[in-house]
Amino acid sequence: MDDFELRMFTMRRNFEKDGIEWNSKASIGMVMSACNVLSDQLNAAKKRIAALEKQAEALKKSTDHHERHAMRFAGDFNLDLNYNEGSVALYKGVVFIAGRDIAAGRADPPRQGSGWIRIV
């Protein structure tokens, strides 16, 4: 039995102790009690949803960061392409890794300060 069912059972038992049939017309007190129970449940659900949304956002940021900075093979170097940090490219038989994001047309790998690091 979950918290809602337990609270409703308790409410029903209290009404029946007072001689009020549960199946009779609802009194304002009964309606207010039921609304309070439902309101509490809704507020608890909203808090759980907010916590889950916060966790999902943190996970998305972490995943985006790892995807963006993961080492991946980019094929033969092409001056017309953008390269993200971690991109591995082959340039004239030599393997380079981008040490930072490198915009298209900016620098070929062997140039000093190009952002490319020779790894083989």
Side-chain angles (χ1 to χ4, degrees), residues 7-80:
R7 291 175 74 180
M8 292 303 289
F9 175 79
T10 303
M11 187 180 357
R12 178 180 182 169
R13 191 180 69 221
N14 290 338
F15 281 122
E16 288 174 347
K17 278 184 186 177
D18 293 336
I20 302 169
E21 289 184 34
W22 187 255
N23 293 330
S24 64
K25 289 185 179 181
S27 68
I28 292 175
M30 289 172 67
V31 172
M32 294 291 288
S33 294
C35 287
N36 286 338
V37 169
L38 293 173
S39 177
D40 291 346
Q41 292 293 312
L42 180 60
N43 288 334
K46 284 180 181 179
K47 287 179 183 176
R48 288 192 300 270
I49 289 169
L52 288 171
E53 286 173 338
K54 187 175 180 180
Q55 288 177 344
E57 185 61 31
L59 181 59
K60 183 181 182 318
K61 285 180 182 177
S62 175
T63 302
D64 289 347
H65 173 80
H66 290 298
E67 273 184 25
R68 181 163 169 71
H69 297 287
M71 186 169 38
R72 66 204 148 289
F73 186 65
D76 291 330
F77 174 77
N78 182 338
L79 192 60
D80 297 328

Coordinates of all heavy atoms in Angstrom, one line a residue, residues 7-80:
R7 N -3.2 7.0 3.3 CA -3.9 8.2 3.8 C -5.3 8.1 3.5 O -6.2 8.5 4.4 CB -3.2 9.4 3.2 CG -1.8 9.6 3.8 CD -1.1 10.7 3.1 NE -1.6 12.0 3.6 CZ -1.2 13.2 3.2 NH1 -0.2 13.2 2.3 NH2 -1.7 14.3 3.7
M8 N -5.7 7.6 2.4 CA -7.1 7.5 2.0 C -7.8 6.5 2.9 O -8.9 6.7 3.4 CB -7.3 7.1 0.6 CG -6.9 8.2 -0.4 SD -7.8 9.8 -0.2 CE -9.4 9.4 -0.7
F9 N -7.2 5.4 3.2 CA -7.7 4.3 4.1 C -7.9 4.9 5.5 O -9.0 4.7 6.1 CB -6.8 3.1 4.2 CG -7.2 2.1 5.2 CD1 -8.2 1.2 4.8 CD2 -6.6 2.0 6.4 CE1 -8.6 0.2 5.8 CE2 -7.0 1.1 7.3 CZ -8.0 0.2 7.0
T10 N -6.9 5.7 6.0 CA -7.0 6.3 7.3 C -8.2 7.3 7.3 O -9.0 7.4 8.3 CB -5.7 7.0 7.7 OG1 -4.6 6.1 7.6 CG2 -5.7 7.6 9.0
M11 N -8.3 8.1 6.3 CA -9.4 9.1 6.2 C -10.7 8.4 6.2 O -11.6 8.8 7.0 CB -9.2 9.9 4.9 CG -10.2 11.1 4.9 SD -10.1 12.1 3.4 CE -8.8 11.5 2.4
R12 N -10.9 7.3 5.4 CA -12.1 6.6 5.4 C -12.5 6.0 6.8 O -13.6 6.1 7.2 CB -12.0 5.4 4.4 CG -13.3 4.6 4.3 CD -13.2 3.5 3.3 NE -14.4 2.8 3.2 CZ -14.7 1.9 2.2 NH1 -13.8 1.7 1.3 NH2 -15.8 1.3 2.2
R13 N -11.5 5.4 7.4 CA -11.7 4.8 8.7 C -12.1 5.9 9.7 O -13.0 5.7 10.5 CB -10.4 4.1 9.2 CG -10.6 3.3 10.5 CD -9.4 2.6 11.0 NE -8.5 3.7 11.5 CZ -7.2 3.7 11.4 NH1 -6.6 2.8 10.7 NH2 -6.5 4.7 11.9
N14 N -11.5 7.1 9.7 CA -11.9 8.2 10.6 C -13.3 8.6 10.3 O -14.1 8.9 11.3 CB -10.9 9.3 10.5 CG -9.6 9.0 11.1 OD1 -9.4 8.1 11.9 ND2 -8.5 9.7 10.6
F15 N -13.7 8.7 9.1 CA -15.1 9.1 8.8 C -16.1 8.1 9.3 O -17.1 8.4 9.9 CB -15.3 9.3 7.3 CG -14.8 10.6 6.8 CD1 -13.8 10.7 5.8 CD2 -15.2 11.8 7.3 CE1 -13.3 11.9 5.3 CE2 -14.8 13.1 6.8 CZ -13.8 13.1 5.8
E16 N -15.7 6.8 9.0 CA -16.6 5.7 9.5 C -16.7 5.7 11.0 O -17.8 5.4 11.5 CB -16.2 4.4 8.9 CG -16.5 4.3 7.4 CD -15.9 3.1 6.7 OE1 -15.1 2.4 7.3 OE2 -16.3 2.9 5.5
K17 N -15.6 6.0 11.7 CA -15.7 6.1 13.2 C -16.7 7.1 13.6 O -17.3 7.0 14.7 CB -14.3 6.4 13.8 CG -13.4 5.2 13.9 CD -12.1 5.6 14.5 CE -11.1 4.5 14.6 NZ -9.8 5.0 15.1
D18 N -16.7 8.2 12.8 CA -17.6 9.3 13.2 C -19.1 9.1 12.7 O -19.9 9.9 12.8 CB -17.1 10.6 12.6 CG -15.8 11.1 13.2 OD1 -15.6 10.7 14.4 OD2 -15.1 11.9 12.6
G19 N -19.3 7.9 12.1 CA -20.7 7.5 11.7 C -21.0 8.0 10.3 O -22.2 8.0 9.9
I20 N -20.0 8.5 9.6 CA -20.3 8.9 8.2 C -19.9 7.8 7.2 O -18.8 7.3 7.3 CB -19.4 10.2 7.9 CG1 -19.6 11.3 8.9 CG2 -19.6 10.6 6.5 CD1 -18.6 12.4 8.8
E21 N -21.0 7.5 6.4 CA -20.7 6.4 5.4 C -19.8 6.9 4.3 O -20.0 8.0 3.8 CB -22.0 5.9 4.9 CG -22.9 5.1 5.8 CD -24.1 4.6 5.2 OE1 -24.1 4.3 4.0 OE2 -25.2 4.5 5.8
W22 N -18.9 6.2 4.0 CA -17.9 6.6 2.9 C -18.6 6.8 1.6 O -18.2 7.6 0.8 CB -16.8 5.5 2.8 CG -15.7 5.9 1.9 CD1 -15.5 5.5 0.6 CD2 -14.6 6.9 2.1 NE1 -14.4 6.1 0.1 CE2 -13.8 6.9 1.0 CE3 -14.3 7.7 3.2 CZ2 -12.7 7.8 0.9 CZ3 -13.2 8.5 3.1 CH2 -12.4 8.5 2.0
N23 N -19.7 6.0 1.3 CA -20.4 6.1 0.0 C -21.4 7.1 0.0 O -22.1 7.3 -1.0 CB -21.0 4.7 -0.3 CG -19.9 3.7 -0.6 OD1 -18.9 4.0 -1.1 ND2 -20.2 2.4 -0.3
S24 N -21.6 7.8 1.1 CA -22.7 8.9 1.1 C -22.1 10.1 0.4 O -21.0 10.2 0.0 CB -23.0 9.2 2.6 OG -21.9 9.8 3.3
K25 N -23.0 11.1 0.3 CA -22.6 12.3 -0.4 C -21.4 12.9 0.3 O -21.3 12.9 1.6 CB -23.7 13.4 -0.4 CG -24.8 13.0 -1.4 CD -25.9 14.1 -1.4 CE -27.0 13.7 -2.4 NZ -28.0 14.7 -2.5
A26 N -20.5 13.5 -0.4 CA -19.3 14.1 0.1 C -19.6 15.4 0.9 O -20.3 16.2 0.3 CB -18.2 14.3 -1.0
S27 N -19.0 15.5 2.0 CA -19.1 16.8 2.7 C -18.0 17.6 2.3 O -17.0 17.2 1.7 CB -19.1 16.5 4.3 OG -17.8 16.1 4.6
I28 N -18.1 18.9 2.7 CA -17.0 19.8 2.3 C -15.7 19.3 3.0 O -14.6 19.4 2.4 CB -17.3 21.3 2.8 CG1 -18.5 21.8 1.9 CG2 -16.1 22.2 2.7 CD1 -19.0 23.1 2.3
G29 N -15.8 18.8 4.2 CA -14.6 18.3 5.0 C -14.0 17.2 4.2 O -12.8 17.1 4.2
M30 N -14.9 16.2 3.7 CA -14.3 15.1 3.0 C -13.6 15.5 1.7 O -12.5 15.1 1.4 CB -15.5 14.1 2.6 CG -16.1 13.4 3.8 SD -17.5 12.5 3.3 CE -16.9 11.2 2.2
V31 N -14.2 16.4 1.0 CA -13.6 16.9 -0.2 C -12.3 17.7 0.1 O -11.3 17.4 -0.6 CB -14.6 17.9 -1.0 CG1 -13.9 18.6 -2.1 CG2 -15.8 17.1 -1.5
M32 N -12.3 18.5 1.2 CA -11.1 19.2 1.5 C -10.0 18.2 1.9 O -8.8 18.4 1.6 CB -11.4 20.2 2.7 CG -12.3 21.3 2.3 SD -11.5 22.5 1.2 CE -10.4 23.3 2.3
S33 N -10.3 17.2 2.7 CA -9.3 16.2 3.1 C -8.7 15.5 1.9 O -7.5 15.3 1.8 CB -10.0 15.2 4.0 OG -10.4 15.8 5.2
A34 N -9.6 15.1 1.0 CA -9.1 14.4 -0.2 C -8.3 15.3 -1.1 O -7.2 14.9 -1.6 CB -10.3 13.9 -1.1
C35 N -8.6 16.6 -1.2 CA -7.8 17.6 -1.9 C -6.5 17.8 -1.3 O -5.5 17.9 -1.9 CB -8.6 18.9 -2.0 SG -9.9 18.9 -3.1
N36 N -6.4 17.8 0.1 CA -5.2 17.9 0.8 C -4.2 16.7 0.5 O -3.1 16.9 0.3 CB -5.4 18.1 2.3 CG -5.9 19.4 2.6 OD1 -5.8 20.4 1.9 ND2 -6.6 19.5 3.8
V37 N -4.8 15.5 0.5 CA -4.0 14.3 0.2 C -3.5 14.4 -1.2 O -2.3 14.2 -1.4 CB -4.9 13.1 0.4 CG1 -4.2 11.8 -0.1 CG2 -5.2 12.9 1.9
L38 N -4.3 14.7 -2.1 CA -3.9 14.8 -3.5 C -2.9 16.0 -3.7 O -1.9 15.8 -4.5 CB -5.1 15.0 -4.5 CG -6.1 13.8 -4.5 CD1 -7.3 14.2 -5.3 CD2 -5.4 12.6 -5.1
S39 N -3.1 17.1 -3.1 CA -2.2 18.2 -3.2 C -0.8 17.8 -2.7 O 0.2 18.1 -3.3 CB -2.7 19.4 -2.4 OG -1.8 20.5 -2.5
D40 N -0.7 17.1 -1.5 CA 0.5 16.6 -1.0 C 1.2 15.7 -2.0 O 2.4 15.8 -2.2 CB 0.3 15.9 0.4 CG -0.1 16.9 1.5 OD1 0.0 18.1 1.3 OD2 -0.5 16.4 2.5
Q41 N 0.4 14.8 -2.6 CA 1.0 13.8 -3.5 C 1.6 14.6 -4.8 O 2.6 14.3 -5.3 CB 0.0 12.8 -4.0 CG -0.4 11.9 -2.9 CD 0.7 11.0 -2.5 OE1 1.4 10.4 -3.3 NE2 0.9 10.8 -1.2
L42 N 0.8 15.6 -5.2 CA 1.2 16.3 -6.4 C 2.5 17.1 -6.1 O 3.4 17.1 -6.9 CB 0.1 17.3 -6.8 CG 0.4 18.2 -8.0 CD1 0.7 17.3 -9.3 CD2 -0.8 19.1 -8.3
N43 N 2.6 17.7 -4.9 CA 3.8 18.5 -4.6 C 5.0 17.6 -4.5 O 6.1 17.9 -4.9 CB 3.6 19.3 -3.3 CG 2.7 20.4 -3.5 OD1 2.5 21.0 -4.5 ND2 2.0 20.8 -2.4
A44 N 4.8 16.4 -3.9 CA 5.9 15.4 -3.8 C 6.4 15.0 -5.2 O 7.6 14.9 -5.5 CB 5.5 14.2 -3.0
A45 N 5.4 14.8 -6.1 CA 5.7 14.3 -7.4 C 6.5 15.5 -8.2 O 7.5 15.2 -8.9 CB 4.5 14.0 -8.2
K46 N 6.1 16.7 -8.0 CA 6.8 17.8 -8.6 C 8.2 17.9 -8.1 O 9.1 18.2 -8.9 CB 6.0 19.2 -8.3 CG 4.8 19.4 -9.1 CD 4.1 20.7 -8.7 CE 2.8 20.9 -9.4 NZ 2.2 22.2 -9.0
K47 N 8.4 17.7 -6.8 CA 9.8 17.7 -6.3 C 10.6 16.6 -6.9 O 11.8 16.8 -7.3 CB 9.8 17.6 -4.8 CG 9.3 18.9 -4.1 CD 9.3 18.7 -2.6 CE 8.7 19.9 -1.9 NZ 8.6 19.8 -0.5
R48 N 10.1 15.4 -7.1 CA 10.8 14.3 -7.7 C 11.1 14.6 -9.1 O 12.2 14.3 -9.6 CB 10.0 13.0 -7.5 CG 10.0 12.5 -6.1 CD 9.5 11.0 -6.0 NE 8.1 10.9 -6.5 CZ 7.0 11.0 -5.7 NH1 7.1 11.3 -4.5 NH2 5.8 10.8 -6.3
I49 N 10.1 15.2 -9.8 CA 10.3 15.5 -11.2 C 11.4 16.5 -11.4 O 12.3 16.4 -12.3 CB 9.0 15.9 -11.9 CG1 8.1 14.8 -12.0 CG2 9.3 16.6 -13.2 CD1 6.7 15.1 -12.4
A50 N 11.4 17.6 -10.5 CA 12.5 18.6 -10.6 C 13.8 18.0 -10.4 O 14.8 18.4 -11.0 CB 12.1 19.7 -9.6
A51 N 13.9 17.1 -9.4 CA 15.2 16.5 -9.1 C 15.7 15.6 -10.3 O 16.9 15.6 -10.6 CB 15.1 15.6 -7.8
L52 N 14.8 14.9 -10.9 CA 15.1 14.1 -12.1 C 15.5 15.0 -13.3 O 16.5 14.6 -14.0 CB 13.9 13.2 -12.5 CG 13.7 12.0 -11.5 CD1 12.4 11.3 -11.9 CD2 14.8 11.0 -11.5
E53 N 14.8 16.1 -13.5 CA 15.2 17.0 -14.5 C 16.6 17.6 -14.3 O 17.4 17.7 -15.3 CB 14.2 18.1 -14.7 CG 12.9 17.7 -15.3 CD 11.8 18.8 -15.2 OE1 11.9 19.7 -14.4 OE2 10.9 18.7 -16.1
K54 N 16.9 17.9 -13.1 CA 18.3 18.4 -12.7 C 19.3 17.3 -13.0 O 20.4 17.6 -13.6 CB 18.3 18.8 -11.3 CG 19.6 19.5 -10.8 CD 19.5 20.0 -9.4 CE 20.7 20.7 -9.0 NZ 20.7 21.1 -7.6
Q55 N 19.1 16.1 -12.7 CA 20.0 15.0 -12.9 C 20.1 14.8 -14.4 O 21.3 14.6 -14.9 CB 19.5 13.7 -12.3 CG 19.6 13.6 -10.8 CD 19.1 12.4 -10.2 OE1 18.3 11.6 -10.9 NE2 19.4 12.1 -9.0
A56 N 19.1 14.8 -15.2 CA 19.1 14.7 -16.6 C 19.9 15.7 -17.3 O 20.7 15.5 -18.2 CB 17.7 14.6 -17.2
E57 N 19.8 17.0 -16.8 CA 20.6 18.1 -17.4 C 22.0 17.9 -17.1 O 22.9 18.1 -18.0 CB 20.1 19.4 -16.8 CG 20.7 20.6 -17.4 CD 20.5 20.8 -18.9 OE1 19.5 20.4 -19.4 OE2 21.5 21.3 -19.6
A58 N 22.4 17.5 -15.9 CA 23.8 17.3 -15.5 C 24.4 16.1 -16.4 O 25.5 16.2 -16.9 CB 23.9 16.9 -14.1
L59 N 23.6 15.1 -16.6 CA 24.0 14.0 -17.4 C 24.2 14.4 -18.9 O 25.2 14.0 -19.5 CB 23.0 12.8 -17.4 CG 23.4 11.6 -18.2 CD1 24.7 11.0 -17.7 CD2 22.3 10.5 -18.0
K60 N 23.3 15.2 -19.4 CA 23.4 15.7 -20.8 C 24.7 16.6 -20.9 O 25.5 16.4 -21.9 CB 22.2 16.6 -21.1 CG 22.2 17.1 -22.6 CD 21.0 17.9 -22.9 CE 20.9 18.4 -24.3 NZ 22.2 18.8 -24.9
K61 N 25.0 17.5 -20.0 CA 26.2 18.3 -20.0 C 27.4 17.4 -20.0 O 28.4 17.7 -20.8 CB 26.2 19.3 -18.9 CG 25.3 20.4 -19.0 CD 25.4 21.4 -17.8 CE 24.4 22.5 -18.0 NZ 24.4 23.4 -16.8
S62 N 27.4 16.4 -19.2 CA 28.6 15.5 -19.1 C 28.8 14.8 -20.4 O 29.9 14.6 -20.9 CB 28.4 14.6 -17.9 OG 29.4 13.6 -17.9
T63 N 27.7 14.2 -20.9 CA 27.8 13.5 -22.2 C 28.2 14.4 -23.3 O 29.1 14.0 -24.1 CB 26.4 12.9 -22.5 OG1 26.0 12.0 -21.4 CG2 26.4 12.1 -23.8
D64 N 27.7 15.6 -23.4 CA 28.1 16.5 -24.4 C 29.6 16.8 -24.3 O 30.3 16.9 -25.3 CB 27.3 17.8 -24.4 CG 25.8 17.7 -24.8 OD1 25.5 16.6 -25.4 OD2 25.0 18.6 -24.5
H65 N 30.0 17.0 -23.1 CA 31.5 17.3 -22.9 C 32.3 16.2 -23.4 O 33.3 16.4 -24.1 CB 31.7 17.6 -21.4 CG 33.2 17.8 -21.1 ND1 33.9 19.0 -21.4 CD2 34.1 16.9 -20.6 CE1 35.2 18.8 -21.1 NE2 35.3 17.6 -20.6
H66 N 32.0 15.0 -23.0 CA 32.8 13.8 -23.4 C 32.7 13.5 -24.9 O 33.7 13.2 -25.5 CB 32.3 12.6 -22.6 CG 32.7 12.6 -21.1 ND1 34.0 12.7 -20.7 CD2 31.9 12.7 -20.0 CE1 34.0 12.8 -19.4 NE2 32.7 12.8 -18.9
E67 N 31.5 13.7 -25.5 CA 31.4 13.5 -26.9 C 32.3 14.5 -27.7 O 32.9 14.2 -28.6 CB 29.9 13.7 -27.4 CG 29.1 12.5 -27.3 CD 27.7 12.7 -27.9 OE1 27.5 13.6 -28.7 OE2 26.8 11.9 -27.4
R68 N 32.2 15.8 -27.2 CA 33.0 16.8 -27.9 C 34.5 16.7 -27.7 O 35.2 17.0 -28.6 CB 32.6 18.2 -27.3 CG 33.2 19.4 -27.9 CD 32.5 20.6 -27.5 NE 33.2 21.8 -27.9 CZ 33.5 22.2 -29.1 NH1 33.0 21.6 -30.1 NH2 34.1 23.3 -29.3
H69 N 35.0 16.1 -26.6 CA 36.4 16.0 -26.4 C 37.0 14.6 -26.5 O 38.1 14.4 -26.2 CB 36.7 16.6 -25.0 CG 36.4 18.1 -24.9 ND1 37.1 19.1 -25.5 CD2 35.4 18.7 -24.3 CE1 36.6 20.2 -25.3 NE2 35.5 20.1 -24.6
A70 N 36.2 13.7 -27.0 CA 36.6 12.3 -27.1 C 37.5 12.3 -28.4 O 37.4 13.0 -29.3 CB 35.5 11.4 -27.3
M71 N 38.5 11.4 -28.3 CA 39.4 11.2 -29.5 C 38.7 10.4 -30.5 O 38.1 9.4 -30.2 CB 40.7 10.5 -29.0 CG 41.7 10.4 -30.1 SD 43.3 9.8 -29.7 CE 43.1 8.6 -28.5
R72 N 38.7 10.9 -31.8 CA 38.0 10.2 -32.8 C 38.8 10.4 -34.1 O 39.4 11.5 -34.3 CB 36.6 10.6 -33.0 CG 36.4 12.0 -33.4 CD 35.0 12.5 -33.0 NE 35.0 13.9 -32.7 CZ 35.5 14.5 -31.6 NH1 36.2 13.9 -30.7 NH2 35.4 15.8 -31.4
F73 N 38.8 9.4 -35.0 CA 39.6 9.5 -36.2 C 38.8 10.4 -37.2 O 37.6 10.1 -37.5 CB 39.9 8.1 -36.8 CG 40.8 8.2 -38.0 CD1 42.1 8.6 -37.9 CD2 40.3 7.8 -39.2 CE1 42.9 8.6 -39.0 CE2 41.1 7.8 -40.3 CZ 42.4 8.2 -40.2
A74 N 39.5 11.4 -37.8 CA 38.8 12.3 -38.8 C 39.3 12.0 -40.2 O 38.9 12.8 -41.1 CB 39.1 13.7 -38.4
G75 N 40.1 11.0 -40.4 CA 40.5 10.7 -41.8 C 41.7 11.5 -42.2 O 42.4 12.1 -41.4
D76 N 41.9 11.7 -43.5 CA 43.0 12.5 -44.0 C 42.7 14.0 -43.8 O 41.5 14.4 -43.9 CB 43.1 12.3 -45.6 CG 43.6 10.9 -45.9 OD1 44.4 10.4 -45.1 OD2 43.3 10.4 -47.0
F77 N 43.7 14.7 -43.4 CA 43.5 16.1 -43.1 C 43.0 16.9 -44.3 O 43.4 16.6 -45.5 CB 44.9 16.8 -42.7 CG 44.8 18.2 -42.5 CD1 44.2 18.8 -41.4 CD2 45.2 19.1 -43.5 CE1 44.1 20.1 -41.2 CE2 45.2 20.5 -43.4 CZ 44.6 21.0 -42.2
N78 N 42.0 17.8 -44.1 CA 41.4 18.6 -45.1 C 41.3 20.0 -44.6 O 40.6 20.3 -43.6 CB 40.1 18.1 -45.5 CG 39.4 18.8 -46.6 OD1 39.7 20.0 -46.9 ND2 38.4 18.2 -47.3
L79 N 42.1 21.0 -45.2 CA 42.1 22.3 -44.8 C 40.7 23.0 -44.8 O 40.5 24.0 -44.0 CB 43.1 23.1 -45.6 CG 43.5 24.5 -45.1 CD1 44.2 24.5 -43.8 CD2 44.4 25.2 -46.1
D80 N 39.8 22.5 -45.5 CA 38.4 23.0 -45.6 C 37.5 22.6 -44.5 O 36.3 23.1 -44.4 CB 37.8 22.7 -46.9 CG 38.6 23.3 -48.1 OD1 39.1 24.3 -48.0 OD2 38.6 22.6 -49.2

